[in-house]
Amino acid sequence: MIDFEEELRKFQPSPEVDEADEAIYKRDLRDVNDIIEELLRQRKKRRREERR
Amino acid sequence: MKCCYCGATLGEGDHCPSCGKNIYICRKTQQISNHLYNEALQLADQRRLSEAAEKLALALRYYKSNTKARNLQGLICFELGEIYQALSAWNISLSLDRVDNPARDYLERLRRSAQQIEVLDQTVRKFNQALAYCRQGDYDLAEIQLKNILENFPHFVQALRLQALLEMRESRYDRAMKLLEEANRTDRSDQDVGRLMAECRTHLTKDGRVKERDLPKEKKKQAGSRRPFSERAVLGPLMNLVFGLIIGAAVMGFLVIPAVRTNTSQNVSRTLRDTSEALTAKNQQIKSLQSQNENLQQQVKEQKAAAKQAQSESSDTASANRTLLQAYDAYADKNYDEAGRLLDSIDKSSLDQDTQKIYRKLKKEMKSHRTLQNQNTAGSSTESNRTESNGGTP
């Protein structure tokens, strides 16, 4: 049996068109490459600190 | 395939020929992203748009510069009515690759028609408003708003789903089913739509009608009062006709005809009464008009008499003024006798206030002149008497 109120809660207001430009800049555009690169950078940094 | 670090075209080795970095991971992620894009393309061909959108989101997580995936994501979002996401996807795609990018064409086509963007924007706003109405409990207003949206944008899956939900709330499962089928034609993989359709099916008969137990109360009553067509056909229409004729004739004989007769006589007497009342009223009106006429004639007579009197008064005043002027003229010519005669002939009451002043002044002067003249006359007679008594010498 469908619960109307529960179903209604699943709907979210749609973002409006004039908000699109602003949202593009805020969007997280990192991909797997960026994440791996970041991890590698942190690892190198840690090693350098350990050597010191 | 391009290098993730410098954007150079990659060869077969594990290092970029341009920047020299290890591109093993970069190559792998791009391969996975392309694979996911291909899967999404197949799903989109089958109109399983939600699943395709999920695959594309994953593809872009592996390789953000996959512009093909971004463009397809934009198209799918646009088809589902998610304008904001579509514009975002195409704009990002264009910023990543400006050469031969179809996203430019999509965006330009939209921007060229400012009216279309306005309509799309309005559609999104209306949807949000409809959602707000639903949350406030104003379901009628929400339905009106959703109908407006679907007239302009019949593939807006979210709007179709919300409208269907409202129909289901009112137990109108047949209508809800139609809306959900429309949503399903646009996106066959929307799980929420599928779930709602399954729910609707449990309340519908095989021919798509709402089952009697699920009908709203008013409809149940209507449905209950109707007999099936076959039963009605068997009841013997001929018998009904005969009964109908007999009852009709009886009603005509006992009720209608006497009623019509009574009604006619009542109408005639009512008309007579009305006419006599109207005649009396008219007579009274004529009488009052006659008396008014007499009054008015009397007033006219009085006015005429007053006018005549005023005219005679004014002519008297004019003749008195004229005589006064003549008297003044005679006085000026030292014709005192004539002036005196004319002044005496003036009726003082006919003069107005200003001319009365002149009259009095002239009269006064005439009087003083007469006195002087009398004195002179008396003086000259005394002198002549004295001369006579002195023997003729002065």
Side-chain angles (χ1 to χ4, degrees):
Chain A
M1 189 68 186
I2 295 285
D3 180 1
F4 178 76
E5 296 300 329
E6 201 182 309
E7 288 294 324
L8 195 59
R9 247 175 268 135
K10 288 179 187 168
F11 286 90
Q12 291 302 318
S14 200
E16 288 170 16
V17 175
D18 50 3
E19 293 168 12
D21 292 343
E22 197 186 328
I24 291 166
Y25 296 109
K26 286 181 183 171
R27 188 177 278 192
D28 179 17
L29 286 174
R30 283 184 306 168
D31 60 8
V32 171
N33 277 312
D34 295 327
I35 295 164
I36 292 172
E37 207 182 341
E38 179 67 32
L39 286 171
L40 290 173
R41 208 178 296 138
Q42 283 177 3
R43 196 177 145 198
K44 272 183 190 175
K45 197 179 169 186
R46 218 179 298 137
R47 274 188 185 176
R48 224 177 288 143
E49 283 172 359
E50 279 170 7
R51 272 182 210 160
R52 279 177 201 167
Chain B
M1 204 167 281
K2 287 179 179 176
C3 174
C4 318
Y5 307 107
C6 66
T9 310
L10 297 176
E12 285 187 358
D14 281 347
H15 288 86
C16 173
S18 176
C19 63
K21 284 189 177 177
N22 190 329
I23 43 129
Y24 177 77
I25 297 169
C26 178
R27 195 192 291 276
K28 282 290 165 197
T29 52
Q30 281 190 41
Q31 280 171 353
I32 296 167
S33 180
N34 281 338
H35 179 71
L36 286 165
Y37 164 73
N38 290 336
E39 280 185 356
L41 198 59
Q42 278 183 353
L43 289 168
D45 276 342
Q46 294 162 17
R47 281 253 157 210
R48 290 160 68 183
L49 301 185
S50 294
E51 280 180 44
E54 281 172 20
K55 294 268 179 200
L56 289 169
L58 199 56
L60 292 168
R61 269 286 170 208
Y62 275 101
Y63 181 48
K64 65 182 174 189
S65 302
N66 190 345
T67 47
K68 284 181 183 175
R70 281 204 189 276
N71 292 345
L72 184 59
Q73 191 187 36
L75 272 179
I76 287 172
C77 289
F78 190 79
E79 181 65 8
L80 292 173
E82 292 160 0
I83 318 297
Y84 156 89
Q85 284 90 339
L87 289 174
S88 297
W90 288 332
N91 273 311
I92 294 169
S93 166
L94 196 62
S95 69
L96 292 169
D97 183 8
R98 296 199 161 268
V99 184
D100 291 336
N101 191 341
R104 186 191 299 277
D105 185 42
Y106 299 140
L107 288 169
E108 269 178 18
R109 255 193 275 174
L110 265 181
R111 279 176 192 145
R112 229 176 284 152
S113 161
Q115 201 185 351
Q116 197 180 351
I117 285 196
E118 184 63 29
V119 170
L120 294 173
D121 198 23
Q122 284 296 322
T123 307
V124 172
R125 281 172 206 274
K126 280 179 186 172
F127 174 74
N128 291 342
Q129 184 66 53
L131 198 56
Y133 283 142
C134 281
R135 289 189 174 145
Q136 289 163 17
D138 297 329
Y139 303 117
D140 294 342
L141 291 174
E143 274 190 49
I144 293 167
Q145 202 72 281
L146 287 168
K147 272 177 192 162
N148 272 330
I149 294 167
L150 293 173
E151 270 173 25
N152 291 322
F153 216 140
H155 305 303
F156 196 165
V157 174
Q158 285 241 70
L160 285 165
R161 195 151 61 89
L162 186 57
Q163 176 81 334
L165 196 63
L166 289 173
E167 298 288 4
M168 286 171 79
R169 189 181 161 276
E170 297 291 326
S171 304
R172 295 188 293 244
Y173 294 99
D174 46 349
R175 288 195 202 173
M177 192 63 179
K178 277 180 191 162
L179 292 163
L180 291 168
E181 278 169 356
E182 181 62 43
N184 197 43
R185 268 194 287 277
T186 307
D187 179 11
R188 287 191 189 137
S189 59
D190 191 315
Q191 287 181 350
D192 289 321
V193 171
R195 204 162 32 78
L196 291 176
M197 280 176 87
E199 175 69 24
C200 280
R201 274 191 207 106
T202 60
H203 297 279
L204 292 173
T205 58
K206 279 180 186 172
D207 56 350
R209 287 185 191 168
V210 183
K211 285 179 183 169
E212 208 164 307
R213 66 181 160 86
D214 297 318
L215 274 173
K217 279 179 187 172
E218 309 132 30
K219 283 203 170 178
K220 252 184 199 171
K221 270 186 193 171
Q222 284 174 7
S225 64
R226 271 195 163 188
R227 285 176 178 169
F229 178 75
S230 56
E231 198 183 328
R232 273 182 280 153
V234 174
L235 273 175
L238 195 65
M239 285 296 285
N240 282 342
L241 189 69
V242 171
F243 273 121
L245 282 172
I246 292 165
I247 292 166
V251 168
M252 282 287 282
F254 292 113
L255 295 172
V256 179
I257 293 169
V260 169
R261 279 181 188 161
T262 318
N263 202 16
T264 313
S265 65
Q266 277 177 350
N267 279 345
V268 170
S269 63
R270 199 180 303 135
T271 315
L272 270 172
R273 197 173 59 234
D274 290 348
T275 314
S276 67
E277 278 174 6
L279 202 63
T280 316
K282 290 283 175 196
N283 283 337
Q284 280 177 349
Q285 206 175 352
I286 287 165
K287 271 182 190 172
S288 72
L289 284 171
Q290 275 176 345
S291 69
Q292 274 181 13
N293 190 23
E294 281 168 12
N295 283 341
L296 286 170
Q297 277 179 351
Q298 186 64 34
Q299 279 177 10
V300 167
K301 272 181 192 173
E302 284 169 8
Q303 292 293 330
K304 271 182 182 173
K308 213 170 185 180
Q309 197 179 346
Q311 203 174 359
S312 69
E313 275 174 9
S314 67
S315 67
D316 287 350
T317 310
S319 71
N321 285 343
R322 209 180 306 120
T323 315
L324 184 67
L325 276 173
Q326 284 170 354
Y328 190 80
D329 199 28
Y331 176 77
D333 291 343
K334 297 182 179 175
N335 190 354
Y336 302 115
D337 292 335
E338 179 65 14
R341 190 186 61 76
L342 286 166
L343 271 178
D344 291 338
S345 72
I346 289 169
D347 180 11
K348 193 183 165 186
S349 62
S350 306
L351 295 170
D352 54 29
Q353 276 190 338
D354 294 331
T355 45
Q356 272 186 9
K357 271 183 193 171
I358 298 165
Y359 172 82
R360 278 197 294 274
K361 199 176 170 186
L362 197 59
K363 194 95 178 170
K364 203 174 174 182
E365 280 185 25
M366 281 298 296
K367 201 175 178 181
S368 62
H369 181 77
R370 272 180 189 159
T371 316
L372 198 66
Q373 203 176 19
N374 287 338
Q375 279 175 359
N376 285 345
T377 317
S380 60
S381 64
T382 320
E383 191 77 19
S384 61
N385 287 339
R386 203 183 294 157
T387 316
E388 277 172 17
S389 63
N390 289 340
T393 48

